[in-house]
């Protein structure tokens, strides 16, 4: 199966509100705490450990050390082994959790850990500004 | 020389054991694998027993919640595309490859193929479709299709093991993995492949088993010790089970070159349709009888040469009767009286898994020199008069063994296994 990650005009709408407890259940306690801090404070930088935990959860092959120890310019596909399926899963999960919309052409611009952290911060900031 | 398919590796994840030694002991000592099971958390349902697979747990559709015995390794890259029975299948195949002395690198040169059988995962498919309806089609798990539809085993295992030979899935309900094994034999006999991996598996979930209650096919006997009693006059339906069995089938010449243990030769197979009913067996077992005769003819042996028949008999009133009549037509009428038992008395009915599972049991019987007894049989149905149904397992080494399977639509498949010469 070849998941389509090519540029398209399709934007995935965020679905109905999700069960946050169920969505967060598999993330480690520190990431859950960070998410709750973000939810209470609106501080988008609190999401960084949440993003790393989501990546840890969907990474096809477990990395040899925690993703937090990797440099910001580490590439998701070439260095960490993400494939289009796993990226799609990360996108869907993140959209649902953070109530944001991520277009295919946006996500293919995201190549590194820093790109992703910055991208999510920006998308959430835009959403909070509305 | 015509290639001869032989079995060189076995892997078992079954209700009666998750390794060869435990399965062998269960078959010899007639230990069943049944437990009381509350389907859908509903104590009011009349079906109370299942052939549970121990050491595994699939409490939710989310693979992060799944558990399996620590001796097996399941990468998350693979896990995200698997159904519960895919986990069973991977574990069974890991066992079988180790048993056959094969490493993953031995499977990639195009001379090894993979034939699989399962009904897919109603458990996961139902979940994904419910999710899709709930979010009005705006979301889906990207692995939803490959993990849940029939074919999920061959999709996943072929990719994981980099199989570049023949890859196919078989769907004929309870004859599915028997078809997989039969056609795997042909791949080798025709010289197309030197080695075939054959895997049959099913989820052990309420969603896979309970729908058979609507057909009145499941036993409502609440006692795990007697709920499955093929050929007994008080049988009242089958007990469902799941799991996986993997068989490594190789050309005998390759097996000999590798110095492999040969469990059994696959001497022939036959299949025939009933041409009768979508769900019920032919009342006189016409198709099953024809399939048995074709298997005998394929192996160039006579009914009188058969030492043991592993019957399909699932413990349903109509199905067992139909098979008994077919056995009479093929054997009694020819003056032959092989030992007969249905190991579903111990395991339950594994649906698509059944044929491969019982071929694995037959291979053990041939290799270890015993005949599994007809467990839980106290009062044989009068239709069985004249059939030899030993109540206990026998220390008799069978030379020729017939393995019967029948599926919906009257699809009947029989394999003939022979002690290596």
């Amino acid at each position: 199966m070849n998941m389509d990650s090519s540029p398209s005009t399709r934007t995935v709408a965020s679905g109905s509100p999700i069960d946050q407890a169920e969505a967060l259940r598999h993330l480690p306690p520190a990431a859950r705490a960070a998410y709750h801090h973000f939810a209470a404070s609106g501080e988008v930088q609190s999401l960084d450990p949440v993003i790393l935990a989501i990546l840890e959860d969907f990474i096809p092959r477990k990395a040899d050390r925690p993703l937090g120890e990797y440099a910001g310019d580490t590439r998701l596909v070439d260095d960490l082994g993400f494939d289009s399926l796993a990226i799609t899963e990360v996108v869907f999960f993140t959209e649902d959790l953070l109530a944001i919309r991520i277009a295919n052409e946006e996500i293919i611009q995201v190549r590194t850990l820093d790109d992703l952290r910055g991208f999510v911060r920006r998308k959430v900031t835009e959403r909070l500004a509305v | 020389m015509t290639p001869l398919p032989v079995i060189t590796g076995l892997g078992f994840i079954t209700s009666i054991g998750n390794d060869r030694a435990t399965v062998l002991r269960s078959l010899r000592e007639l230990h069943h694998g049944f437990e009381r099971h509350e389907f859908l958390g509903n104590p009011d349902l009349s079906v109370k027993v299942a052939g549970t697979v121990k050491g595994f747990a699939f409490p939710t559709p989310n693979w992060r919640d799944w558990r399996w015995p620590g001796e097996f390794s399941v990468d998350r890259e693979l896990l995200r595309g698997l159904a519960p029975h895919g986990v069973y299948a991977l574990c069974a195949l890991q066992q079988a490859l180790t048993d056959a002395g094969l490493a993953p690198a031995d499977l990639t040169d195009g001379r090894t193929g993979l034939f699989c059988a399962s009904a897919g995962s109603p458990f996961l498919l139902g979940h994904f479709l419910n999710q899709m309806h709930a979010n009005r089609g705006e979301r889906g798990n990207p692995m939803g299709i490959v993990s849940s539809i029939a074919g999920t085993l061959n999709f996943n295992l072929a990719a994981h093991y980099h199989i570049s030979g023949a890859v196919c899935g078989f769907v004929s309900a309870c004859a599915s993995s028997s078809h997989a094994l039969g056609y795997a034999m042909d791949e080798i006999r025709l010289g197309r492949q030197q080695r075939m991996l054959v895997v049959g598996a099913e989820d052990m979930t309420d969603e896979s088993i309970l729908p058979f209650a609507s057909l009145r096919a499941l036993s409502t006997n609440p006692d795990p010790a007697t709920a499955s009693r093929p050929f007994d006059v008080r049988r009242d339906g089958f007990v469902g089970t799941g799991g996986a069995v993997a068989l490594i089938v190789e050309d005998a010449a390759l097996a000999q070159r590798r110095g492999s243990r040969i469990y059994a030769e696959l001497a022939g197979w036959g299949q025939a349709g009933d041409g009768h009913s979508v769900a019920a067996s032919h009342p006189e077992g016409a198709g099953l009888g024809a399939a048995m005769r074709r298997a005998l003819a394929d192996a160039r042996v006579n009914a009188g040469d058969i030492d043991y028949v592993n019957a399909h008999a699932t413990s349903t009133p109509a199905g067992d009767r139909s098979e008994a009549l077919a056995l009479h037509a093929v054997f009694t009428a020819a003056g032959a009286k092989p030992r007969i038992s249905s190991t579903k008395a111990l395991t339950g009915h594994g649906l698509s898994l059944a044929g491969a599972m019982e071929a694995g049991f037959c291979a053990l019987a041939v290799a270890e020199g015993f005949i599994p007894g007809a467990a839980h049989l106290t009062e044989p149905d009068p239709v069985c008069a004249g059939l030899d149904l030993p109540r206990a397992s026998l220390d008799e080494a069978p030379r020729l063994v017939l393995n019967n399977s029948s599926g919906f639509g009257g699809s009947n498949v029989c394999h003939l296994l022979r002690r290596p010469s």
Side-chain angles (χ1 to χ4, degrees):
Chain A
M1 182 172 175
N2 180 25
M3 285 301 299
D4 178 16
S5 61
S6 60
S8 84
T9 55
R10 176 176 158 270
T11 298
V12 181
S14 67
S16 50
I18 59 162
D19 179 347
Q20 299 284 355
E22 170 61 22
L24 293 168
R25 183 165 62 91
H26 295 95
L27 300 187
R32 290 204 300 267
Y35 174 80
H36 291 304
H37 180 75
F38 156 75
S41 68
E43 293 170 13
V44 290
Q45 64 273 24
S46 313
L47 288 172
D48 289 359
V50 180
I51 299 306
L52 282 180
I54 294 170
L55 290 174
E56 295 263 20
D57 198 41
F58 286 105
I59 193 167
R61 290 194 196 106
K62 206 163 172 54
D64 54 9
R65 58 186 194 276
L67 294 187
E69 295 178 13
Y70 282 82
D73 61 356
T74 303
R75 294 166 300 178
L76 298 175
V77 173
D78 296 332
D79 299 326
L80 295 176
F82 273 85
D83 54 24
S84 59
L85 287 166
I87 297 277
T88 305
E89 289 182 297
V90 168
V91 166
F92 282 180
F93 185 89
T94 308
E95 284 182 322
D96 284 344
L97 183 69
L98 303 177
I100 57 178
R101 296 173 180 210
I102 301 172
N104 284 352
E105 56 267 33
E106 289 178 308
I107 197 64
I108 61 167
Q109 304 299 325
V110 172
R111 301 189 189 283
T112 67
L113 290 174
D114 274 348
D115 287 349
L116 183 63
R117 280 187 281 250
F119 175 74
V120 171
R121 284 188 189 194
R122 183 166 54 76
K123 294 294 286 191
V124 173
T125 303
E126 285 170 10
R127 196 244 312 160
L128 295 176
V130 173
Chain B
M1 198 175 87
T2 309
L4 171 66
V6 298
I7 297 175
T8 58
L10 294 171
F12 296 99
I13 302 295
T14 72
S15 63
I16 61 166
N18 291 342
D19 59 78
R20 190 184 63 206
T22 308
V23 167
L24 180 60
R25 193 165 57 247
S26 297
L27 292 172
R28 278 188 182 278
E29 299 174 8
L30 301 186
H31 294 154
H32 68 73
F34 304 123
E35 292 181 301
R36 293 276 295 214
H37 178 79
E38 191 171 270
F39 286 87
L40 298 180
N42 182 355
D44 297 333
L45 296 179
S46 56
V47 179
K48 306 285 190 194
V49 177
T52 51
V53 184
K54 289 78 178 172
F56 292 78
F58 305 95
T60 78
N62 190 325
W63 54 259
R64 295 164 185 82
D65 296 322
W66 297 356
R67 299 291 175 266
W68 53 88
E71 64 264 33
F72 301 109
S73 138
V74 188
D75 298 340
R76 69 163 76 180
E77 183 178 25
L78 184 59
L79 192 58
R80 64 186 181 174
L82 293 180
H85 72 278
V87 178
Y88 297 145
L90 184 70
C91 297
L93 188 51
Q94 286 176 10
Q95 264 185 49
L97 291 170
T98 303
D99 189 33
L102 292 168
D106 299 325
L107 311 178
T108 60
D109 65 1
R111 292 184 292 182
T112 296
L114 170 75
F115 285 173
C116 298
S118 85
S121 177
F123 171 63
L124 286 190
L125 189 56
H127 168 72
F128 292 138
L129 293 178
N130 285 338
Q131 254 188 348
M132 190 181 78
H133 283 288
N135 64 37
R136 301 176 64 231
E138 293 179 0
R139 278 289 187 283
N141 181 327
M143 304 306 278
I145 298 168
V146 296
S147 63
S148 65
I149 67 171
T152 178
L153 290 181
N154 29 297
F155 308 155
N156 278 284
L157 297 174
H160 179 66
Y161 284 106
H162 307 293
I163 305 293
S164 54
V167 173
C168 192
F170 290 80
V171 181
S172 51
C174 305
S176 300
S177 61
S178 280
H179 268 123
L181 180 58
Y183 282 107
M185 290 167 59
D186 285 353
E187 286 296 302
I188 289 175
R189 298 198 297 190
L190 292 169
R192 292 170 169 168
Q193 303 278 241
Q194 290 195 340
R195 178 184 299 124
M196 294 298 300
L197 316 179
V198 178
V199 182
E202 290 285 15
D203 286 3
M204 175 28 247
T205 58
D206 299 354
E207 290 80 357
S208 284
I209 294 172
L210 201 55
F212 288 90
S214 313
L215 282 169
R216 304 287 185 272
L218 297 180
S219 173
T220 56
N221 178 348
D223 180 3
T226 57
S228 181
R229 42 185 161 184
F231 296 126
D232 193 281
V233 73
R234 281 166 299 178
R235 69 191 185 275
D236 72 332
F238 76 79
V239 176
T241 190
V245 169
L247 302 105
I248 311 299
V249 181
E250 296 183 86
D251 176 20
L254 172 62
Q256 280 153 9
R257 276 203 305 281
R258 297 199 312 113
S260 309
R261 174 187 186 175
I262 295 176
Y263 286 90
E265 298 173 356
L266 289 159
W269 75 292
Q271 62 167 324
D274 278 343
H276 171 67
S277 160
V278 65
S281 315
H282 185 277
E284 287 158 18
L288 183 54
M292 285 192 271
R293 289 193 186 93
R294 287 173 183 171
L296 295 171
D298 187 30
R300 297 190 175 85
V301 298
N302 298 311
D305 299 325
I306 301 301
D307 300 306
Y308 168 59
V309 180
N310 186 299
H312 177 71
T314 64
S315 192
T316 61
D320 292 13
R321 177 184 167 78
S322 150
E323 184 166 12
L325 291 170
L327 290 164
H328 279 308
V330 173
F331 292 102
T332 314
K337 201 170 179 183
R339 310 284 197 186
I340 298 167
S341 70
S342 168
T343 46
K344 292 186 182 76
L346 303 174
T347 58
H349 185 10
L351 310 170
S352 297
L353 155 68
M357 175 163 68
E358 288 150 25
F361 296 165
C362 289
L364 282 182
V366 168
E368 302 286 343
F370 76 104
I371 288 175
H376 309 156
L377 180 62
T378 9
E379 191 182 342
D381 188 314
V383 76
C384 297
L387 299 180
D388 184 355
L389 298 158
R391 306 297 197 276
S393 294
L394 304 171
D395 283 324
E396 289 177 10
R399 199 182 77 83
L400 277 168
V401 168
L402 193 64
N403 178 38
N404 286 355
S405 293
S406 300
F408 278 146
S411 196
N412 303 281
V413 180
C414 303
H415 313 119
L416 220 156
L417 291 84
R418 186 169 55 206
R419 194 191 313 153
S421 43

